[in-house]
Amino acid sequence: MGIFDTFKHNRNRRKLTDPSFDFLFDEHPDELVSFDCETTSLDVKEAEIISIGAVKIRGNKVLTSDSFYVLVKPEGMMEAANVTIHGLRPKDLSNGLPVEEALRLFLNFIGGRPVVGYFLEYDVAMVNKFLKPMLGIQLPNRQIEVSSIYYRQEVRKKFYDSYVDMRMAPMIKKLGIPDLPRHDAMNDSINVAMMYLALQARSRR
């Protein structure tokens, strides 16, 4: 971590309003967490989280036995188009947890581990939307974007202006890994974990 990153890290730590979550600033050197959120909309300002899935990665293994999944009860209405994508209906979420409780469980699961995702910026933005009012901070965990790693690897094989298909399905196919049914937070987090490990293996060849 550079001097600027250390300064930013410490500044964010001082903004934490609940000292019991200080562990978020202690990075785990041996594990990562792949995570995904399903939401009521693709507009961060309007969207609510309806499920969170996460799985730990240690070495070259996806620890499916050490995973996290929670349903969240939204306060507003879901868009019908999104229901057709993730398949979660209002009645499926009737026993879901309040978002703050769900996020507290999620934070205890991920700890200070770096987080891995596919277009992770959106998922982190959704977490931060609720986390900032809760704890006074945004998610401090180091972030690893699999699509960026994939793009860099692909560009090295092509001309600089060549098209790289960044959709998940073609990426999974090219990496030669199983493709679990998508638009499910748990499956997507496992898919991304497998993509990350495949990309790491490919970079060592």
Side-chain angles (χ1 to χ4, degrees):
M1 187 181 293
I3 294 175
F4 177 76
D5 291 330
T6 301
F7 172 78
K8 184 178 178 182
H9 191 77
N10 291 337
R11 184 181 62 188
N12 287 339
R13 197 169 198 161
R14 288 193 295 271
K15 292 179 180 179
L16 182 66
T17 58
D18 184 343
S20 67
F21 283 91
D22 190 66
F23 62 82
L24 292 172
F25 293 89
D26 299 327
E27 183 169 321
H28 291 238
D30 302 322
E31 291 185 345
L32 311 170
V33 172
S34 170
F35 92 95
D36 178 76
C37 297
E38 294 296 326
T39 62
T40 57
S41 165
L42 294 177
D43 184 338
V44 173
K45 290 182 180 179
E46 298 179 359
E48 295 186 66
I49 297 172
I50 55 174
S51 67
I52 306 172
V55 64
K56 292 177 183 174
I57 305 167
R58 183 186 303 140
N60 62 351
K61 294 182 179 180
V62 179
L63 304 181
T64 53
S65 61
D66 197 356
S67 60
F68 173 88
Y69 182 73
V70 66
L71 293 176
V72 182
K73 186 175 183 179
E75 294 182 358
M77 296 292 292
M78 290 195 294
E79 293 182 6
N82 283 64
V83 175
T84 63
I85 293 173
H86 50 62
L88 292 172
R89 302 160 297 178
K91 70 177 184 179
D92 298 323
L93 302 171
S94 60
N95 293 320
L97 297 179
V99 66
E100 287 195 8
E101 185 177 346
L103 284 177
R104 287 178 184 276
L105 293 172
F106 172 65
L107 295 176
N108 275 285
F109 178 79
I110 67 172
R113 297 170 181 82
V115 291
V116 184
Y118 171 74
F119 290 99
L120 183 62
E121 183 178 359
Y122 173 81
D123 297 287
V124 170
M126 284 302 305
V127 168
N128 286 338
K129 174 181 175 178
F130 299 99
L131 186 61
K132 187 72 183 294
M134 280 174 52
L135 301 181
I137 61 168
Q138 296 185 337
L139 196 69
N141 306 57
R142 184 163 58 89
Q143 298 168 30
I144 301 170
E145 173 56 59
V146 293
S147 66
S148 296
I149 301 172
Y150 180 82
Y151 180 81
R152 289 194 299 270
Q153 290 184 0
E154 289 297 298
V155 165
R156 281 200 289 266
K157 303 175 186 177
K158 305 173 183 285
F159 294 108
Y160 71 94
D161 58 350
S162 296
Y163 172 71
V164 178
D165 194 338
M166 303 294 287
R167 293 173 299 163
M168 183 180 278
M171 288 170 63
I172 286 175
K173 184 176 181 180
K174 191 150 192 178
L175 292 171
I177 59 178
D179 189 2
L180 299 178
R182 291 188 297 280
H183 304 300
D184 170 282
M186 190 71 257
N187 285 349
D188 284 350
S189 67
I190 294 172
N191 273 339
V192 168
M194 291 190 295
M195 291 166 69
Y196 173 77
L197 291 181
L199 288 165
Q200 294 304 299
R202 193 163 74 157
S203 70
R204 293 192 291 268
R205 291 173 192 162

